[in-house]
């Protein structure tokens, strides 16, 4: 019922912002000031990605450190008269973290009556004043494979928390050789697991003292030392660490048969931008030599849009294409580059290959709906919404009006269909070539190199009988708005005070849009009562009631309360005086009767012509378990029976059942709820839950509601058992398994036969396949266990065969030869 906002002094918190506090603001949803309310704030620290726009190709995250944090309290106190309070912005964070962290502030603001509202806010926090970044050699950033016997330069940069370069001081460089012993390699990416378990050798440990923000080091790994290497760089003064894992190996043509995972050589080309509008030129720059050929292919999620062979120039080749609407939302530009077969200018392979995604935006696919509505409305009145499209386009739309308090619980955002339908698409075209078959042309397999596409959309109960919380949720539409028109909708607001959000989502022929508007719902005089979720009989409760005066003319207010017969009030009328606008609180003492049911309470506040009302329903329930007392009596022939029944427990929760039987009573009525269950679980549980329901009506008078429920359960069970049937006709223990369970097949089949006798329809194919399975199993039985899992000794095996033969006889399709074979078994168990 309260709106909560945490306002951070900067988009990034750090030690430098310690003198700039976080401001906590709160107000009632209807706009009233949350003056002097109690508030508490805690923070949870978790991992966040450390990146800087100026150094996109650098890594600023430690592969060895993980952020773990418990919830820490950072503020306990009260808001001021304006509903605002400041508190320290610097959480306590260990230096043993991977990089920047995400700080989640969990804020609670408590009403005078004890109820509270909760909110979560997120921001980045920088535990370090400087960060170390590592850039791998260009080709290593793509495949993380570097060639042995060559010098490879790794670049280092030091920056401050904003990404501005600063001179580094002492940096510790460590290089580990990672071993691949399979018996303790739990996860190839779990580098921390390797290091802490001594699965490494340190091959280099040195100190770098940079003369500027930028520095570098070189690695040259010999053929015999090929493998994975972990590189870490630690700022010895600031404490931040970065690192990466790289793989060194010989060129694939030198590896003989040691490794079969051959990669094509990556061609690194680029576009002048990553996103283009329809009609713009997409400009490619391709590193190349003279007299080469490049195949440029433009593809999307479903097709090859266009392709062209071009001749390459010395140094680099430029190429441009025009972005069209068919390229939205994503295209993939493939370049296959071929050098002359007898090229001796460089030592690169004859063929190189590259692919990059490009975003294409068609502005014609945007719709801009507009909501024209008052910013403040009164409850229990009609309000008018006017909907139109900004440029007069035709659209089909829906309107939703929802309580802001509900939306705040999950920080619900208005649906954005354009973002969903025009999210980055995965590449849907397979590409291959036959250059591997060219004699003397070293090349590799494409499918080992390409990682295609990816969806960018994800980048960034208990039910009481009382209708306690009546939400404001209205959904209208869909409506079609013709071009250039404005639509009008009248919406009635119930007895609610707070804030609602109007959300419009629109589409038309592949164009999408959305808009939202917050509307305050309030009156000059309002009230809000606070009660627990449930009552217990005989409880005594104080009900706090907040009275809000939103206009200066609200002075003397009289508040009355009424309730049904389950609740009584010590005093059902009180008065309060306002000297200025704001809110005050009254307490009404109430007592719950020694009964159960639904308490209905109605409050009313009056000041002159202004009134405010609130109705609340609360369940009254007994917290103790149900107790059943049973007495047995015998009635002799021709005798009359008379017995006084003294009920125990609270009025409204007790009752009696009389059971008459010519055999000793089994107390069936007390067990019906447990017995009549919905079928679920394995084949045994499914069958056991419904098998007795075939016969309950033979033992006791069942009312129509229970009989319908049992009939539905049995029909559901028949359909569910179909899910267990295997290809050979038996029934598996769990749905979807390929092997049949011998006992499960007997048990479920037995139920199906009995259900059919009771008039239930059994699918013919299911039954015939089961009979075929039973007959084949019966004929093949040898007295020895058929499967490992069914083996529990010779007697169990005899029982399974006897039960199988019994079901076949019950179906009037006996297997006489198998019956005689079983009868001749020595030491036959009595049941069999």
């Amino acid at each position: 019922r309260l709106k909560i906002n945490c306002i951070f002094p900067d988009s990034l918190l750090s030690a430098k912002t310690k003198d700039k506090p976080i401001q906590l603001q709160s107000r009632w949803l209807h706009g009233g000031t949350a003056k002097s309310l109690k508030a508490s704030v805690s923070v949870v620290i978790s991992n966040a990605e450390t990146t800087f726009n100026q150094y996109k190709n650098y890594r600023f995250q430690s592969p060895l450190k993980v952020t773990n944090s418990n919830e820490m309290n950072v503020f306990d106190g009260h808001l001021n008269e304006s509903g605002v309070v400041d508190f320290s912005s610097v959480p306590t964070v260990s230096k043993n973290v991977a990089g920047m962290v995400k700080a989640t502030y969990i804020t609670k603001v408590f009403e005078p009556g004890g109820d509270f509202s909760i909110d979560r806010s997120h921001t980045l926090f920088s535990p370090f004043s400087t960060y170390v970044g590592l850039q791998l050699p260009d080709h290593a950033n793509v495949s993380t494979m570097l060639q042995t016997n060559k010098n490879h330069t790794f670049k280092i940069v030091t920056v401050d928390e904003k990404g501005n370069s600063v001179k580094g001081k002492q940096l510790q460089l460590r290089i580990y050789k990672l071993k691949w012993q399979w018996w303790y390699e739990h996860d190839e990416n779990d580098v921390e697991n390797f290091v802490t378990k001594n699965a490494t050798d340190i091959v280099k440990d040195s100190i770098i003292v940079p003369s500027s923000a930028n520095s570098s080091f070189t690695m040259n790994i010999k053929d015999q030392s090929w493998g994975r290497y972990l590189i870490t760089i630690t700022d010895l003064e600031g404490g931040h660490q970065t690192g990466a894992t790289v793989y060194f190996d010989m060129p694939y043509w030198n590896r003989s048969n040691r490794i079969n995972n051959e990669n094509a050589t990556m061609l690194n080309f680029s576009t002048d931008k990553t996103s283009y509008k329809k009609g713009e030129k997409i400009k490619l720059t391709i590193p190349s030599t003279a007299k080469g050929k490049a195949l440029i292919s433009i593809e999307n999620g479903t097709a090859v849009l266009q392709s062209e062979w071009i001749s390459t120039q010395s140094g680099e080749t430029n190429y441009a294409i025009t972005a069209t609407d068919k390229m939205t939302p994503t295209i993939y530009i493939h370049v296959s580059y071929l050098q002359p077969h007898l090229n001796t200018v460089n030592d690169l392979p004859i063929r190189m290959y590259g692919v990059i995604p490009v975003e294409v935006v068609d502005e014609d696919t945007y719709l801009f709906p507009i909501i024209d509505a008052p910013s403040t409305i009164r409850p229990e009145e009609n309000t008018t919404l006017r909907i139109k499209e900004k440029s007069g386009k035709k659209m089909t739309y829906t309107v939703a009006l929802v309580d802001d308090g509900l939306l705040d619980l999950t920080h619900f955002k208005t649906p954005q269909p354009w973002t969903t339908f025009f999210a980055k698409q995965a590449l849907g075209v397979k590409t291959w070539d036959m250059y591997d078959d060219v004699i003397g042309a070293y090349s590799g397999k494409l499918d080992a190199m390409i990682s295609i596409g990816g969806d960018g959309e994800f980048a960034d109960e208990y039910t009481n009988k009382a209708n306690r919380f009546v939400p404001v949720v209205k959904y209208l539409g869909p409506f079609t708005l013709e071009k250039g028109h404005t639509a009008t909708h009248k919406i009635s607001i119930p007895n609610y005070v707070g804030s609602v959000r109007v959300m419009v989502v629109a589409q038309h022929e592949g164009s999408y849009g959305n808009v939202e508007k917050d509307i305050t719902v309030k009156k000059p005089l309002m009230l809000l009562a606070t009660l627990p979720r449930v009552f217990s009989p005989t409880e005594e409760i104080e009900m706090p009631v907040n009275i809000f005066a939103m206009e200066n003319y609200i002075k003397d207010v009289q508040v009355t309360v009424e309730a049904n017969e389950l609740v009584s009030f010590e005093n059902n009328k009180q008065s309060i005086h306002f000297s200025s606008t704001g809110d005050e609180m009254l307490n009404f003492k109430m007592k719950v009767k020694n009964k159960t049911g639904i308490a209905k309470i109605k409050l009313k506040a009056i000041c002159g012509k202004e009134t405010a009302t609130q109705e609340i329903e609360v369940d009254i329930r007994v917290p103790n378990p149900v107790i059943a007392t049973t007495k047995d009596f015998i009635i002799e022939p021709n005798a009359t029976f008379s017995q006084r029944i003294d009920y125990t427990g609270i009025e409204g929760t007790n009752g009696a059942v009389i059971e008459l039987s010519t055999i000793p009573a089994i107390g069936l009525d007390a067990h019906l709820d447990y017995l009549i269950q919905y079928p679920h679980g394995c084949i045994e549980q499914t069958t056991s839950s419904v098998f007795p329901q075939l016969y309950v009506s033979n033992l006791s008078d069942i009312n129509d509601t229970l009989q319908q429920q049992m009939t539905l359960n049995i029909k559901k069970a028949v359909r569910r058992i179909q899910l267990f049937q295997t290809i050979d006709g038996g029934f598996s223990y769990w749905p979807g398994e390929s092997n049949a369970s011998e006992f499960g097949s007997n048990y479920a089949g037995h139920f199906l036969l009995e259900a059919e006798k009771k008039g239930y329809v059994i699918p013919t194919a299911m039954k015939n396949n089961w009979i075929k399975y039973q007959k084949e199993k019966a004929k093949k039985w040898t007295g020895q266990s058929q499967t490992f899992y069914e083996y529990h000794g010779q007697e169990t095996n005899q029982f399974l065969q006897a039960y199988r033969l019994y079901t076949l006889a019950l179906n009037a399709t006996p297997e006489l030869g198998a019956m005689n074979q079983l009868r001749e078994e020595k030491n036959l168990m009595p049941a069999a």
Side-chain angles (χ1 to χ4, degrees), residues 452-498:
I452 61 172
D455 193 340
E457 179 181 4
F458 300 102
D460 208 354
E461 178 151 275
Y462 297 96
T463 303
N464 291 329
K465 292 178 292 182
N467 190 9
R468 172 64 189 276
F469 302 104
V470 182
V472 180
V473 178
K474 293 182 178 292
Y475 186 80
L476 310 176
F479 306 103
T480 298
L481 181 69
E482 295 298 330
K483 187 175 181 180
H485 287 203
T486 298
T488 301
H489 303 280
K490 286 191 177 296
I491 297 179
S492 61
I493 303 298
N495 183 21
Y496 161 84
V497 292

Side-chain angles (χ1 to χ4, degrees), residues 318-446:
N318 296 314
Y319 181 78
I321 54 175
T322 302
T324 66
D325 55 354
K326 293 183 178 179
M327 297 180 181
T328 59
T330 313
I331 58 169
Y332 289 83
I333 302 177
H334 297 245
V335 177
S336 294
Y337 171 50
L338 303 181
Q339 297 194 89
H341 193 274
L342 299 178
N343 178 57
T344 58
V345 177
N346 57 57
D347 59 356
L348 295 175
I350 189 173
R351 184 265 276 148
M352 289 181 288
Y353 185 84
V355 54
I356 57 174
V358 174
E359 180 186 12
V360 178
V361 178
D362 182 358
E363 293 186 335
D364 292 338
T365 59
Y366 286 107
L367 288 174
F368 297 97
I370 295 175
I371 300 173
D372 181 12
S375 58
T376 302
I377 55 179
R378 293 174 67 112
E380 299 180 285
E381 292 185 359
N382 291 331
T383 188
T384 300
L385 305 178
R386 291 179 175 83
I387 311 295
K388 63 180 180 180
E389 206 280 330
K390 183 177 180 181
S391 55
K393 293 180 181 179
K394 181 179 179 179
M395 65 180 186
T396 298
Y397 64 94
T398 60
V399 180
L401 185 144
V402 184
D403 175 1
D404 248 339
L406 291 178
L407 301 176
D408 283 349
L409 290 176
T410 58
H411 282 223
F412 181 85
K413 297 185 184 303
T414 301
Q416 298 178 337
W418 192 96
T419 304
T420 299
F421 288 109
F422 289 90
K424 181 180 179 181
Q425 288 185 349
L427 175 63
V429 178
K430 291 183 178 180
T431 306
W432 66 94
D433 62 30
M434 59 181 185
Y435 295 128
D436 287 344
D437 299 326
V438 178
I439 297 175
Y442 297 118
S443 59
K445 295 181 181 178
L446 292 177

Side-chain angles (χ1 to χ4, degrees), residues 116-131:
F116 67 88
S117 296
I118 188 170
D119 186 71
R120 290 171 175 82
S121 304
H122 310 279
T123 188
L124 281 178
F125 177 75
S126 172
F128 307 100
S129 57
T130 58
Y131 289 83

Side-chain angles (χ1 to χ4, degrees), residues 382-683:
N382 291 331
T383 188
T384 300
L385 305 178
R386 291 179 175 83
I387 311 295
K388 63 180 180 180
E389 206 280 330
K390 183 177 180 181
S391 55
K393 293 180 181 179
K394 181 179 179 179
M395 65 180 186
T396 298
Y397 64 94
T398 60
V399 180
L401 185 144
V402 184
D403 175 1
D404 248 339
L406 291 178
L407 301 176
D408 283 349
L409 290 176
T410 58
H411 282 223
F412 181 85
K413 297 185 184 303
T414 301
Q416 298 178 337
W418 192 96
T419 304
T420 299
F421 288 109
F422 289 90
K424 181 180 179 181
Q425 288 185 349
L427 175 63
V429 178
K430 291 183 178 180
T431 306
W432 66 94
D433 62 30
M434 59 181 185
Y435 295 128
D436 287 344
D437 299 326
V438 178
I439 297 175
Y442 297 118
S443 59
K445 295 181 181 178
L446 292 177
D447 56 5
M449 178 196 68
I450 300 174
S451 176
I452 61 172
D455 193 340
E457 179 181 4
F458 300 102
D460 208 354
E461 178 151 275
Y462 297 96
T463 303
N464 291 329
K465 292 178 292 182
N467 190 9
R468 172 64 189 276
F469 302 104
V470 182
V472 180
V473 178
K474 293 182 178 292
Y475 186 80
L476 310 176
F479 306 103
T480 298
L481 181 69
E482 295 298 330
K483 187 175 181 180
H485 287 203
T486 298
T488 301
H489 303 280
K490 286 191 177 296
I491 297 179
S492 61
I493 303 298
N495 183 21
Y496 161 84
V497 292
S499 174
V500 294
R501 187 196 304 175
V502 181
M503 296 173 280
V504 173
V505 177
Q507 72 84 31
H508 178 65
E509 296 181 352
S511 298
Y512 304 92
N514 61 281
V515 69
E516 64 181 54
K517 181 172 183 175
D518 288 327
I519 299 177
T520 301
V521 183
K522 66 178 183 179
K523 301 169 69 175
L525 176 65
M526 296 177 291
L527 59 82
L528 280 176
T530 302
L531 282 172
R533 299 293 181 98
V534 292
F535 294 158
S536 293
T538 72
E539 279 187 336
E540 295 184 2
I541 299 165
E542 277 198 3
M543 178 177 66
V545 181
N546 279 79
I547 313 298
F548 297 89
M550 306 302 289
E551 300 291 345
N552 289 323
Y553 63 81
I554 302 295
K555 298 297 183 184
D556 294 305
V557 180
Q558 188 176 76
V559 182
T560 58
V561 60
E562 301 174 0
N564 61 1
E565 72 282 358
L566 298 178
V567 176
S568 63
F569 285 89
E570 185 178 285
N571 181 9
N572 68 345
K573 183 182 295 185
Q574 294 189 52
S575 298
I576 193 168
H577 176 77
F578 286 90
S579 57
S580 62
T581 58
D583 65 287
E584 298 291 343
M585 191 174 74
L586 297 173
N587 285 300
F588 287 86
K589 291 185 178 181
M590 56 189 291
K591 185 172 183 178
V592 183
K593 299 292 181 63
N594 193 24
K595 295 181 179 180
T596 60
I598 299 177
K600 297 184 178 182
I601 301 167
K602 183 176 181 179
L603 300 100
K604 187 174 185 179
I606 301 176
C607 178
K609 296 181 179 180
E610 298 291 347
T611 62
T613 61
Q614 183 181 8
E615 296 184 13
I616 305 175
E617 294 183 355
V618 183
D619 277 311
I620 304 175
R621 56 93 179 96
V622 181
N624 298 319
V626 175
I627 298 174
T629 302
T630 304
K631 292 184 179 180
D632 295 327
F633 304 92
I634 296 176
I635 307 178
E636 299 296 337
N638 299 318
T640 300
F641 171 76
S642 177
Q643 174 68 32
R644 173 182 171 83
I645 297 176
D646 294 317
Y647 289 107
T648 58
I650 296 172
E651 182 182 345
T653 68
N654 39 30
V657 173
I658 300 175
E659 181 178 314
L660 305 175
S661 175
T662 57
I663 61 174
I666 60 176
L668 183 63
D669 189 81
H671 301 289
L672 273 181
D673 288 341
Y674 177 77
L675 189 65
I676 301 174
Q677 295 186 46
Y678 184 86
H680 69 280
C682 64
I683 193 70

